[in-house]
Amino acid sequence: MFGRQSLSVVLLLFLLTTSAFARDCGDCKQESSFWSFKTIGFGIVGGVVAVVAAPVVLTAAGFTAGGIAAGSLAAAAMSATGPVAAGGVIAGLQSVGAAGLGAVGAGVLATAGAATGGLVGKALDD
């Protein structure tokens, strides 16, 4: 589904996103770095998992290609919100459930997943 170029984009987005979290060592004799193999590894895994899991989770919640499944979490959410506005959250989730993420959606999810994974990796490193 995703090739080498997609994984390179995920890694690049991860590096750009998480560089803001690097710590300043101050008077340390050794340079402190945010990056480690664990941080980068968790970031890559987080980005890939976010993109792969999103369609599965949406389908399980009831946002299917054939519409919102009766008796599902999606149906309950639609019922609770009343009339569904075009461009709203429910409509957006249904669109993704029916047609897939698209390039922009995959990029956004990959970035968020990579940043989250990197932060988890960093927390485990400390």
Side-chain angles (χ1 to χ4, degrees):
M1 184 161 135
F2 295 100
R4 177 181 250 177
Q5 185 178 12
S6 297
L7 292 177
S8 298
V9 169
V10 169
L11 179 60
L12 177 64
L13 291 171
F14 166 70
L15 293 173
L16 292 172
T17 304
T18 58
S19 63
F21 297 107
R23 289 187 276 165
D24 182 21
C25 188
D27 293 332
C28 296
K29 294 183 194 249
Q30 184 179 3
E31 184 87 19
S32 176
S33 175
F34 181 81
W35 308 110
S36 69
F37 287 117
K38 189 178 286 186
T39 305
I40 293 171
F42 271 80
I44 292 171
V45 169
V48 171
V49 166
V51 172
V52 172
V56 174
V57 170
L58 286 174
T59 301
F63 296 101
T64 67
I68 292 180
S72 66
L73 180 63
M78 189 171 101
S79 171
T81 60
V84 175
V89 173
I90 301 293
L93 291 172
Q94 178 54 42
S95 174
V96 170
L101 285 171
V104 173
V108 168
L109 269 179
T111 302
T116 303
L119 292 173
V120 168
K122 182 60 180 172
L124 294 175
D125 243 1
D126 288 340

